Amino acid sequence: MLTRYALLIVNPIAGHYSKRRLHKFVHYLQQLNWHVFVEPTHFKGHGAQLAQNYINSGTQLDLIIIGGGDGTISEIAQILLGQTIPLALFPIGSANVFARELNIDFNDRRNAIMISHYCQKEIWPAIVSSDQSKTIFIQMLGMGPDGWVVHNVSTKIKKIFGRAAYVLSTFLMILRYKFPEFSIFIDGHSYKINAAIISKGCFYGGNFQITAASKQSSKNCDAILFRCNNFYKFGLAFLKLLFCKKNTDHLEIITAKEIIVPASDNIFMQIDGDVFSAKEIKISISPHPLRLLVPKNNSNNF
């Protein structure tokens, strides 16, 4: 059987990482005739550097596998936009929302088999541009209370408690967050809101579905806007989002191609579960697709 070559970039501080799990996953791939280059990350941005260095070196690669959570995936995926090398997932993060979106198997042996008998798909991530930087998100950008929650969760707490760390931070948010109002422009129209979730996917925080369908294969995204000046109103609006997914006085869902937030420096933000901040941001859809491997029986709307 022909040997194939994969680069596995793994985040050793991811919520569900262990050396034993990594070694077993690599062993499963080797049994399926993969030669695996394993590279751990050591600092933020290192994963993207590793991917770029391997691509520039001309090393034969049939696949890049990312071991980490949504933030690690977004960081490395930015390098792979428009590339012919596809991406696969080794889901070892705290929430792994993107892996759930793709219906990736969390059993590492079955995931290795899926990678070897893959179905390749194209998705269109969102680009977040500011004066300081340009980055992407594959799942979502949150502004307001969920940004506050992510800003107040430490890596150590995530490692110990996993997704429960966000629940603990949410209780603190209920007591402390003030829900300030800010402006957002969506395809040229202005809105005054207190919170927003800009989503490419349909899942949030794990298995909670917040939109009727994924926008991963579309050249647009969902802008979920909240007009809620206290947690009580926000909580009710969020419950309606989970169970009804319809517009109300405090909730509006808009399909968007371009979003501008002119004064975002005072807003708590998160991108795919990682802290983010900028003075002004523009969100648009990448002109280049990201190629990735998904199960052949993927049932989500791509």
Side-chain angles (χ1 to χ4, degrees), residues 9 46 48 59 64 82 99 127 140 157 187 207 212 223 258 262 275:
I9 301 174
H46 191 205
T59 302
I64 293 179
I127 295 177
M140 69 180 57
I157 295 298
D187 295 330
N207 292 324
E258 182 181 272
V275 170

Side-chain angles (χ1 to χ4, degrees), residues 17-208:
Y17 167 85
S18 71
K19 287 184 179 180
R20 182 173 181 271
R21 185 177 177 187
L22 171 62
H23 292 159
K24 288 181 71 174
F25 182 61
V26 171
H27 178 65
Y28 296 148
L29 290 169
Q30 289 170 339
Q31 287 181 318
L32 294 162
N33 279 73
W34 286 94
H35 180 90
V36 185
F37 305 101
V38 180
E39 294 284 358
T41 62
H42 298 296
F43 51 85
K44 188 174 179 62
H46 191 205
Q49 287 183 18
L50 290 168
Q52 190 68 71
N53 289 343
Y54 267 81
I55 292 170
N56 292 345
S57 71
T59 302
Q60 181 179 345
L61 286 179
D62 299 293
L63 179 66
I64 293 179
I65 306 171
I66 302 176
D70 295 341
T72 306
I73 297 167
S74 288
E75 174 196 317
I76 300 169
Q78 185 166 348
I79 302 300
L80 299 179
L81 292 176
Q83 296 279 351
T84 58
I85 303 172
L87 177 154
L89 305 185
F90 174 36
I92 56 172
S94 299
N96 301 300
V97 182
F98 188 55
R100 297 174 195 277
E101 186 91 20
L102 302 181
N103 203 25
I104 300 298
D105 201 315
F106 283 73
N107 177 286
D108 294 336
R109 181 187 290 274
R110 290 196 294 265
N111 187 26
I113 293 171
M114 183 281 294
I115 287 171
S116 299
H117 302 87
Y118 59 82
C119 175
Q120 191 170 147
K121 295 282 186 179
E122 286 187 350
I123 65 169
W124 299 86
I127 295 177
V128 184
S129 305
S130 69
D131 289 341
Q132 300 100 320
S133 64
K134 181 179 288 187
T135 187
I136 72 167
F137 65 86
I138 50 162
Q139 195 65 21
M140 69 180 57
L141 180 150
M143 292 179 274
D146 77 329
W148 191 97
V149 167
V150 172
H151 275 253
N152 287 276
V153 173
S154 71
T155 301
K156 184 177 180 180
I157 295 298
K158 282 201 295 183
K159 184 74 174 178
I160 296 171
F161 294 104
R163 279 188 288 171
Y166 295 101
V167 177
L168 295 173
S169 187
T170 298
F171 282 116
L172 291 175
M173 182 270 291
I174 293 171
L175 298 173
R176 298 179 183 177
Y177 191 68
K178 302 300 182 183
F179 289 86
E181 186 179 73
F182 59 93
S183 297
I184 187 170
F185 294 85
I186 300 176
D187 295 330
H189 299 282
S190 176
Y191 302 84
K192 291 283 188 181
I193 60 173
N194 304 92
I197 299 170
I198 313 302
S199 184
K200 285 293 295 180
C202 63
F203 288 120
Y204 177 91
N207 292 324
F208 298 107

Side-chain angles (χ1 to χ4, degrees), residues 193-267:
I193 60 173
N194 304 92
I197 299 170
I198 313 302
S199 184
K200 285 293 295 180
C202 63
F203 288 120
Y204 177 91
N207 292 324
F208 298 107
Q209 187 168 345
I210 58 172
T211 63
S214 170
K215 291 288 196 298
Q216 296 287 6
S217 63
S218 304
K219 294 183 180 181
N220 53 37
C221 58
D222 283 318
I224 304 167
L225 311 181
F226 296 88
R227 299 180 185 90
C228 313
N229 58 8
N230 60 56
F231 181 78
Y232 176 74
K233 292 179 181 177
F234 176 76
L236 288 178
F238 199 86
L239 286 173
K240 289 179 180 178
L241 175 66
L242 291 178
F243 294 106
C244 302
K245 298 172 182 62
K246 294 180 180 179
N247 293 344
T248 68
D249 290 342
H250 301 296
L251 172 69
E252 188 170 0
I253 305 171
I254 302 169
T255 299
K257 290 187 176 180
E258 182 181 272
I259 299 168
I260 296 173
V261 185
S264 58
D265 51 332
N266 293 321
I267 306 168

